[in-house]
Amino acid sequence: MGQCKHCGSEVKEGMRFCGNCGAPQEAAEPEVKAEATGELAAAKQEAPGEDRSPAPTVAVGEVAEETAATVAEENAVTTTAEGSSALPAPAAEASGEPVATAAGENAVTGTEESAAAGQEAPGEPVKRKSRRLRTALFAAVAVTVAAVGAAVLLHRMTAMTGERFVRVQAEALRQEVAPFEGLGAVFENGFSSDFVFSMQMSRSRLLALSRSGNEDYMLVAKALQRGIQAKVDFGRHLETAVLNLEFGTDDSVKLNFDCFLDSEKFGYRIPQVGKQVFVLNYPEVLGQYSGGARFSTAELAALVPSKELLSASAARYGRVLAAAVKPKEIKVKKRAYTSHVLKRQLDHEMKGEYTVYTWNPDRETLETLFRSLAAEMREDKDFADWYNRRQEAGEELAKVLGMGRGKAAGFSDVADYVEKHAADWAETLERRNFRWKLVMQGKEVAAIRLVDNGERPLFCYERDQVGDTLYHGVGGDLFLGTFAEERSKKENSYEGRVIGRLAMFGDAWLWGFRLYYSKVPLDGKPSVLGLPNGSYRYTYFDADRPDRKYTFEVKEKWGRSVYELDDGYDKFTLTATRKGSAEKPTGREVDISDELSGSGGKSLPQEKFSDIIEKL
């Protein structure tokens, strides 16, 4: 039994607080602290079970994000999970806890230790020094982690696998040829249009013709000046076609020629001469002229592979090539790049820092690649079927044209040829120090080059963009020439120039051209014939003739597409509309197959065109 020192009331033995005033007793205070310390220790033992799972593996590209802020945040989270610490400041430092974090937690919890910590002012300079030391250590760790992360990230960006080496190049080239995929769409599902073609001769040309006495050309020029009206209707894949021609569209004497074509016969009629429709079995006639060959227009469709077949074949052989390109064989170097095609043709110099990946395969790698290609070709039944059909159609066409030279090689023959020469080709390429270079600027392909000794380009593709101006080109010995384009946006249209040349025997120019264009709409809307509206200036040159210049304009006028061609002497104008109104000639059919083949010994059933035109 004792007394409370605060109010004097009796306090039983073992009581920690006064029953009258509630003040803590002297003997109870150490017990309170000990109990609190025990509770905290128990909390620490329980804390590891709350969330102590290993941190997930950080991705290579995310290593650089592990900064000092992240480390401090993790420490704060861990300390909070452990509960408020009852350790004094030196003990907290020894345990690895930041003093600032512990003090902050005590301030939040409002425990008695916070008051005690506030009373230890003499030790504060030591704490500040320790804090600065830890801060410096954290900063050093952060810089080290960031540097390592940046290095790993740079390695990840510059590392090149065989699959990526092939894929990025294939995608760049696919984008280049994409605009040309729609060129055949004009006639893909049939085509109908009405045309009016006329010519306006210059005074100098008229005077020259009158003095030359060339009567045949004068007749043709006269018909052209009066105009030629054509009504055309082509069926799908050219299997059917109807053509109505009318020479002279004014009130003068006219000449009409109507014809049609289907899979079995060709027929025509000249109304001014007669009402009969003369027909012939043209496959049979062509067969007689070509030693029995029969060729139908339906076979033309087989000469063009489908997009699905091309896509599947590109993926198939791309995988073979990617497997041959081993990452350890690719050398990486950052440097400037000197353009080959663009500098030469467009006077454009590519600038900036580029990453150049160089694959320099040895003989063994190349031989394995060629043999793998041959093996894949033998398994490629779809492409083989198309290729063999194409070869057969080519044989028939060659016979029709009188150029038959025997049986063409099949796809299996090509595979055998690749297999047979694999070792020789590999040895030759190694001797010539063959290298395949991929030039990247960031994530964009800037150039693709296949070179040999002396950096001589066997193939070179380049692409560069400066603002709204695009430069791209292709060339090399494999193409025997170059092709380059500069295109830029101006207001709501494109303008630019295209330059091409064909060279043989070194740098000697055999043939070339320059095409300048402007006012081409950005939407790329084609005209009736699939050509984009705009103004064009075309110049071609060869070894035998000086430069010849033509201006060409495509525009919309009165709901029609208008094409105007001017060569400085004559101006040709073609107006066209999609409203095709061609009509198949009808009447009593007369088979003239025997007469045209010469077996009947008869003359042509109708007058010659030159005779008819001469009468006009």
Side-chain angles (χ1 to χ4, degrees), residues 457-492:
L458 304 173
F459 171 82
C460 181
Y461 161 79
E462 294 173 343
R463 186 182 189 277
D464 192 24
Q465 185 155 356
V466 181
D468 289 336
T469 303
L470 172 66
Y471 303 86
H472 56 156
V474 62
D477 289 354
L478 296 179
F479 283 81
L480 298 177
T482 58
F483 175 90
E485 180 187 19
E486 174 187 350
R487 180 198 313 157
S488 60
K489 297 179 181 178
K490 187 175 183 180
E491 298 178 352
N492 295 321

Side-chain angles (χ1 to χ4, degrees), residues 178-222:
F180 299 97
E181 293 178 354
L183 292 181
V186 178
F187 303 101
E188 186 176 8
N189 297 314
F191 175 78
S192 297
S193 183
D194 291 345
F195 301 98
V196 176
F197 182 72
S198 60
M199 178 182 69
Q200 180 180 356
M201 288 186 292
S202 64
R203 292 183 178 180
S204 59
R205 174 61 65 88
L206 285 172
L207 181 60
L209 286 176
S210 62
R211 291 179 177 178
S212 67
N214 192 330
E215 297 181 359
D216 292 337
Y217 190 85
M218 285 295 293
L219 290 173
V220 175
K222 187 177 181 180

